[in-house]
Amino acid sequence: MTVKNGSNKSSGALSNISRRKFMGTAASVAAAGTITGFPNIVQAADPIRTIGLGVSIINEIQAKAAKDVGFPIRGQALGYGALFGKTLNQNDQYEVSECYFDMFDVMIPSKVFQPIDTKRIKDWDKVSNLTKTGMLTPGSQVGQGDAPVRQIWVDENGARTKGPSRYISALPGWHNADSLGYNPDDTGRPIESWAELFSSDFKGRVALLNVPQIGAMDAAMGVEALGLIKFGDKGNMTRKEIDFLVDFLTKKKKEGHFRAFWETFGQSVNLMVSGEVALQSMWSPAVTAVNAEGVPCIYASPKEGMRGWHGAISISAKATGKKLDQAYEYLNWWLDGWAGAFVARQGYYMSTPANTKKHLPADEWDFWYEGKPAAKELPDPFGSPLVAKGVVRDGGSYEQRFKKIAVWNSIMSENDYLVKRWTEFLTA
Amino acid sequence: MSKVSELHHTGLIGSQPEPDEAAVQAKIRHTEEGFATVWLITPATIWLVLFLVVPLVSIVIFSFWENTPQGLSPAFSLEFYGEYFYTKGFFDPEADRFLLPSVFIRTLGSTLYFTLVTMLLCLIVGYPIAYFLAMQVQAFKWQLALFLLCMVPFWTSYLIRAVAWLPMLGRRGLINQALLGMGIVDKPVSFLFYSEFGYTMALVQIYVVLSIGPIFFSLAKIDKDIIEAATDMGATPFQIFREIIGPMSLPGVAIGMIFIFVMITGEFATAVVVYGGKTSTAGTVILNYYGIANYPFAAVNALMLMLAMVIGIIVILRIVDIRKEL
């Protein structure tokens, strides 16, 4: 991955695993060389092409899928910007796009995908209510912005429908909720609100995510928690709201409040490990990575709620005939449980928790989904030790985490204006 | 063999022998025949047309397209050029932003500012090193060895060089440890890193080699006899530098400056890694608009950056006529 390369969005677990991934790749290449005979069957079948971020396009995942479904799957991992652009402008270049529900205000009207028939999704009834009703458990808060439930339901022509329908815009995949990470030794107190992001106690020791769409929402959570403004919808701000937010941020920047703005997973880990920042917007697996370096870091559960994001596996409108059948097979495979267990070890949740549970040993399920202390040392997806015995995952159980999503990752109607004002903020 | 070539060689390049008159004539004849020349330039031409001209033309075409919610749409629209230059309240006496150029022009301006500062510092730092290598180090093998030493940073990846500043300049870095240890400060200073200071320093460290190389080659080409003659005639070292060494090394300076200028105006990674993303560069603006798939506006930004580069190079070449000097 290059330095910025379209800036990984709120999910880049890739950077911290890249070394292991490389080892894994090397191993699988070596393996491919030794296994003769078997690949002949695979090669006989036509491949399908899938694109996505490094979160879901990982050699191990597509290789296992290919083995299970019996045809090759060519995965291409892209940065967020490149994934967005290719998904929108080149839907003849992929059969499956492993993209995200926050892209769907653009993707649904542009009809780059075809509606997915839930009758062809074997485990559709096992997909949780997080995307079907917006509430993982009854009484949960749906959250502002591009919540999956607002993006998922379409008719057989791909146009949005008011409520549940037989067709969906994309199959719900992996997801998580992000908030703040902090070093308790540096902050000297537990962080329980997004407002702390702008506390003068941490002046010069704060970092913010420099992806305008997501960074602005994190900042908006803080500004709103301070009581300075009440946003109509943090996931779809008006120009006035954007102006207010950017003016506030610019003032803070000129005061020297921010230590840095990070763009990739690895940068956020570095900032915390090196002690440059005390508090920053952070992704959940990055906190695990900081702890793995022996630096204390806590993943905050702000009382205002977290910022959620949700993977969406989609089928290109250009996929027909046999390719379309293969795409469905690949989608069904994702829900089957093996992939859910794999992404769980990266800290992500899958839309079919019941199937995931079947593929996860009880110790791991208890740690990742139930928020219980690790009964023993637990591995990462590639088998290396990741979690020490006794550690508890910050942010609580899966249900707790998704009970109160304040806002979902979104692309605002005023996205261009936001990016322009964000540029001004950085130049100031 | 020309007699001139028997002249003593000093330094890596030394004094160049005069080309043999017959050889020059032969070369001219050969050129006039044309056949060989066409074949010689064919691979480069194909390469450049495919991978430079075609993409460049596409960028120009894209810059006029429209960006609709359904994706890109071919058009001839000047909307994004307007967006680039126009800013609300510009030239409006009522507005508080009177005469404040658009953020994109300001970003390009700050990019050029950092570039010029870095160029100047690279010259100040790089020239003495090149001078030392070319003039003070006599043995060829030492010149080569020391010159290669200058290249050592290029053996590691660019990113590692940028990231490596953190353990040095960071809050818990070496310098802060030293300052704290000596009791000069009582808490870590933060201006060293994620700051304009750290950013400029990193840029100079990364790019100074680009100025050392060409200046060194220019200096090494200067015939030592000329300097000796000047000394014999009673010139002071300052006079020698002003009248001989300075002017004769100008082409090297100009080439070095062009390298650095082109590299840094297009630079965005160092700003992210060493400045902590606390400034925008023309490069990051392009990336941001690429990131939201607004390719036409990214193209406009890219073209404006390129225009600024071309103007910058023309200015440098105006100051130093490389053709004449070489």
Side-chain angles (χ1 to χ4, degrees), chain A residues 299-346:
Chain A
Y299 187 58
S301 306
K303 55 176 188 272
E304 297 86 11
M306 295 190 183
R307 176 176 50 70
W309 56 268
H310 207 298
I313 317 174
S314 331
I315 304 180
S316 162
K318 298 273 168 69
T320 52
K322 188 164 167 251
K323 295 266 183 204
L324 181 59
D325 297 341
Q326 287 175 309
Y328 269 103
E329 265 192 81
Y330 180 53
L331 263 57
N332 275 310
W333 178 85
W334 258 106
L335 297 188
D336 195 46
W338 187 91
F342 189 95
V343 297
R345 297 185 183 109
Q346 290 177 280

Side-chain angles (χ1 to χ4, degrees), chain A residues 157-393:
Chain A
N157 300 314
R160 285 178 203 269
T161 59
K162 277 260 173 234
S165 133
R166 177 177 157 180
Y167 295 91
I168 51 175
S169 58
L171 188 68
W174 49 95
H175 49 278
N176 206 348
D178 298 324
S179 73
L180 300 166
Y182 66 99
N183 183 331
D185 296 348
D186 283 344
T187 57
R189 61 170 186 254
I191 299 300
E192 285 156 354
S193 166
W194 286 90
E196 298 277 34
L197 205 47
F198 301 116
S199 163
S200 53
D201 294 350
F202 311 128
K203 186 180 158 187
R205 302 289 307 280
V206 175
L208 200 61
L209 170 56
N210 186 16
V211 172
Q213 294 78 16
I214 312 171
M217 275 192 279
D218 284 353
M221 300 279 274
V223 176
E224 199 172 63
L226 281 173
L228 298 176
I229 185 177
K230 181 96 187 128
F231 289 94
D233 181 353
K234 288 183 286 294
N236 199 13
M237 299 178 202
T238 62
R239 282 195 178 214
K240 250 190 153 139
E241 287 169 340
I242 293 171
D243 284 340
F244 181 89
L245 181 67
V246 172
D247 290 346
F248 175 82
L249 288 174
T250 307
K251 196 183 99 213
K252 276 287 180 189
K253 182 174 181 241
K254 284 184 172 161
E255 285 171 10
H257 187 74
F258 301 108
R259 185 67 175 137
F261 302 100
W262 59 267
E263 292 181 12
T264 62
F265 180 93
Q267 284 173 342
S268 75
V269 173
N270 269 342
L271 283 168
M272 204 46 102
V273 170
S274 63
E276 293 295 325
V277 303
L279 166 72
Q280 62 178 346
S281 47
M282 219 167 168
W283 301 333
S284 162
V287 175
T288 314
V290 172
N291 286 327
E293 298 284 331
V295 174
C297 186
I298 295 178
Y299 187 58
S301 306
K303 55 176 188 272
E304 297 86 11
M306 295 190 183
R307 176 176 50 70
W309 56 268
H310 207 298
I313 317 174
S314 331
I315 304 180
S316 162
K318 298 273 168 69
T320 52
K322 188 164 167 251
K323 295 266 183 204
L324 181 59
D325 297 341
Q326 287 175 309
Y328 269 103
E329 265 192 81
Y330 180 53
L331 263 57
N332 275 310
W333 178 85
W334 258 106
L335 297 188
D336 195 46
W338 187 91
F342 189 95
V343 297
R345 297 185 183 109
Q346 290 177 280
Y348 305 125
Y349 304 100
M350 192 62 200
S351 54
T352 45
N355 284 354
T356 301
K357 193 173 183 177
K358 281 190 241 161
H359 283 78
L360 269 184
D363 297 336
E364 296 186 58
W365 172 266
D366 286 348
F367 176 79
W368 294 111
Y369 273 80
E370 301 292 347
K372 292 181 186 163
K376 56 175 185 135
E377 190 180 72
L378 302 178
D380 73 0
F382 309 97
S384 313
L386 178 70
V387 180
K389 187 182 167 183
V391 170
V392 183
R393 180 177 196 177

